[in-house]
């Protein structure tokens, strides 16, 4: 999950943000949404390991 987050951030930083305008704002949204979902998964997995949901 961390690797996917880093790859999405690098892609946004290199490819999307330098050419950001109102026309290609949707591309940035396609980076923000997965990063948000992965962040929620980080929390769920962290809590599950802490509380023992998986065991």
């Amino acid at each position: 999950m961390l690797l996917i987050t880093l790859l999405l951030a690098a892609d946004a930083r290199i490819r999307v943000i330098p050419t950001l305008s109102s026309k290609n704002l949707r591309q940035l949204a396609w980076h923000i949404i997965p990063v948000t979902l992965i962040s929620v998964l980080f929390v769920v997995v962290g809590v599950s390991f802490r509380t023992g949901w998986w065991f």
Side-chain angles (χ1 to χ4, degrees):
M1 286 186 288
L2 182 59
L3 180 63
I4 293 170
T5 304
L6 291 174
L7 290 174
L8 281 169
D11 181 53
R13 176 74 175 118
I14 293 169
R15 193 174 58 87
V16 177
I17 292 176
T19 61
L20 192 61
S21 69
S22 61
K23 294 178 183 177
N24 65 350
L25 198 58
R26 192 173 294 260
Q27 283 182 333
L28 187 60
W30 281 108
H31 284 80
I32 292 171
I33 292 168
V35 167
T36 303
L37 293 175
I38 292 169
S39 300
V40 171
L41 279 174
F42 264 123
V43 171
V44 169
V45 170
V47 168
S48 70
F49 278 114
R50 180 74 175 154
T51 60
W53 287 351
W54 296 107
F55 301 109

